[in-house]
Amino acid sequence: MHELAHLHFADADASYEDARYAVFGVPYDGTTSYRPGTRFGPRAIREVSFNFESYEPSTGIDFFEVPVADLGDLEVSRLPEDLVDQVADVAGDIVSEGKVPVMLGGEHTATIGAVRAVQPEVYVVCDAHLDLREELGGTPYSHGCVTRRVLDTVEDVVIIGARSGDREQFEIAAERTRLYTADTVRDLGLNAVLREVREHVGGRRIYLSIDADAIDCCLTPGLGTPEPFGMTPLDIREVVRTLAPYAAGFDYVEVAPFDAGQTAAVAAQVVREFIARHWIAEQ
Ligand code: MN
Ligand code: MN
């Protein structure tokens, strides 16, 4: 049979029935406030995933041996509240069938629905932005409100790598979240931060969300809302290596692939890293 390349994530060849991991894309950028284009993120991440070897040397796994299915992209609604419901439905089916949802964005809004489905005990997010606005652009489901909406249902929120938000959001973050700003990560060192986070999580179920703009825009410029002075791709990989074993759901969002391909390449490798680290922890 001919390989229909790029329509699915590389090596995500398991049937849905057999899959432990269900990848799906959410090509939505309906509330984007600055530079649109994250709707093209899932496609770019899948395309570049074919660039990488199936063998992953640090874990010794071959990806074609891991049961991963790619369900394709959601046909997205226009309104963000409908989009959130759609994602919650799809992720809810995946979770109720004992699988781990792995979502490719698209803007961060989709995460609200995935978290609703997974119902984690702790939400861990890497993001340049606090995303703690009550509403933005006339909707409480904007990409700028994601962490605020998560706080409606998840009490325990950890933010890593933030460096942007208004005064009120930083006050909310101080009061209601564990915030490790990008500067804090730099001052303490990522390993010390991750030691603390892992102790805090203490084996509880987490949802892990990576907003691509957590990484410094000088390193991965394919972003809808670029911010400098951020984390590195290696930092994000380390966060995922450390926390993947505790995660019941994962996403990599906010890739707007108008660069030399580096932002999607990092995303694809970090997605693989998540699957590899989660999988070996279970074996
Ligand atoms: Mn975000
Ligand atoms: Mn962001």
Side-chain angles (χ1 to χ4, degrees), residues 107-109 111 123 125-131 143-147 209-213 225 253-254:
E107 64 169 54
H108 212 165
T109 298
T111 300
Y123 173 74
V125 60
C126 295
D127 197 332
H129 308 94
L130 292 175
D131 286 357
H143 66 97
C145 309
V146 177
T147 305
S209 178
I210 308 295
D211 180 327
D213 63 37
T225 39
V253 298
E254 294 282 348

Side-chain angles (χ1 to χ4, degrees), residues 130 165-173:
L130 292 175
D166 59 15
R167 183 185 303 278
E168 189 195 347
Q169 289 180 74
F170 272 95
E171 285 167 4
I172 295 169

Side-chain angles (χ1 to χ4, degrees), residues 197-212:
V197 171
R198 199 158 58 171
E199 272 171 30
H200 174 70
V201 167
R204 288 179 295 163
R205 276 171 96 241
I206 73 169
Y207 184 96
L208 181 56
S209 178
I210 308 295
D211 180 327

